Amino acid sequence: MRLNEELYNLSSLQLAPFLLGKLLCRKINGKIIKLKITETEAYYTEADTACHAHKGKTARTEVMYRRGGCAYVYLCYGIHSLLNIVCGEEGSPQAVLIRGVEGFIGPGKLTKAMQINRDLNGENLIVSDELWLEDSGCTADFTTGTRIGINYASEQDIARQWRFIIKE
DNA sequence: AGATTGATAAGG
DNA sequence: CTTATCAATCTT
């Protein structure tokens, strides 16, 4: 039931709504936990001023330039590890931020609960047995909204409806 | 609403 | 090396 490798070639704009309702899987001390993804955001190439990579490639954003299927875990405000799913083709920085899962609202909360830290940066979600995604079979209804915490982006990018929230 | 937090990246 | 900036969060 693991997500197909080909899905990660989709653009972040297609993948973000697709991931809603899918299962985020993590192995902790041999125990596997699976949580339904309830909220995502899309970050799309260097043209998106809200994307970390919009100024070009750095050591931090290097993972986003890889082929789809990697985890991009970065530290926000020095405190919170945030989990992103890299997608799109190599050289095209795109990622889907996992903003919430069932039971844990808030990107920093869910990474803490699932013990996701920067050790998992660059983890290959297609083959990893530490962190991966599974298809739950359900395709949920969703609503869209503006992204959060990107006031530094251009006005038009702030206005984009690239946040996807699952509907009950 | 305000304080806090520390890695990142840009500038000297 | 030094400073400004933050894809948040907790506390008032």
Side-chain angles (χ1 to χ4, degrees):
Chain A
M1 292 299 281
R2 188 179 290 226
L3 287 191
N4 193 302
E5 179 177 359
E6 292 172 16
L7 291 171
Y8 296 111
N9 288 325
L10 295 172
S11 79
S12 57
L13 297 178
Q14 294 172 291
L15 190 65
F18 180 83
L19 289 181
L20 292 172
K22 299 298 181 290
L23 296 174
L24 179 65
C25 308
R26 170 79 170 122
K27 186 159 82 174
I28 301 171
N29 299 329
K31 295 182 69 173
I32 293 172
I33 57 175
K34 302 179 182 182
L35 293 173
K36 191 195 292 186
I37 297 169
T38 56
E39 191 172 342
T40 61
E41 282 181 15
Y43 289 86
Y44 184 67
T45 76
E46 294 174 1
D48 175 11
T49 56
C51 180
H52 279 176
H54 83 91
K55 290 188 300 255
K57 196 170 175 177
T58 67
R60 182 173 64 146
T61 59
E62 178 270 329
V63 175
M64 262 201 280
Y65 287 79
R66 295 191 199 167
R67 286 205 52 179
C70 292
Y72 169 43
V73 182
Y74 71 94
L75 204 56
C76 172
Y77 302 163
I79 306 172
H80 313 291
S81 294
L82 303 211
L83 173 65
N84 299 252
I85 311 300
V86 177
C87 58
E89 298 185 4
E90 183 172 353
S92 172
Q94 302 183 39
V96 177
L97 170 68
I98 308 299
R99 177 160 273 291
V101 297
E102 202 163 48
F104 301 99
I105 303 162
K109 298 256 192 74
L110 79 89
T111 51
K112 187 180 177 187
M114 299 185 82
Q115 297 182 21
I116 292 167
N117 53 57
R118 283 173 305 157
D119 294 344
L120 289 167
N121 193 33
E123 188 80 2
N124 187 327
L125 302 174
I126 299 160
V127 301
S128 174
D129 63 350
E130 293 288 325
L131 181 69
W132 70 97
L133 295 169
E134 284 186 12
D135 192 341
S136 58
C138 81
T139 48
D141 262 352
F142 62 89
T143 55
T144 59
T146 54
R147 292 176 289 175
I148 290 175
I150 56 163
N151 292 339
Y152 59 90
S154 72
E155 205 170 308
Q156 57 181 348
D157 283 328
I158 291 173
R160 294 187 200 281
Q161 300 283 300
W162 283 354
R163 183 156 63 109
F164 304 90
I165 310 129
I166 204 164
K167 211 184 278 183
E168 292 296 331

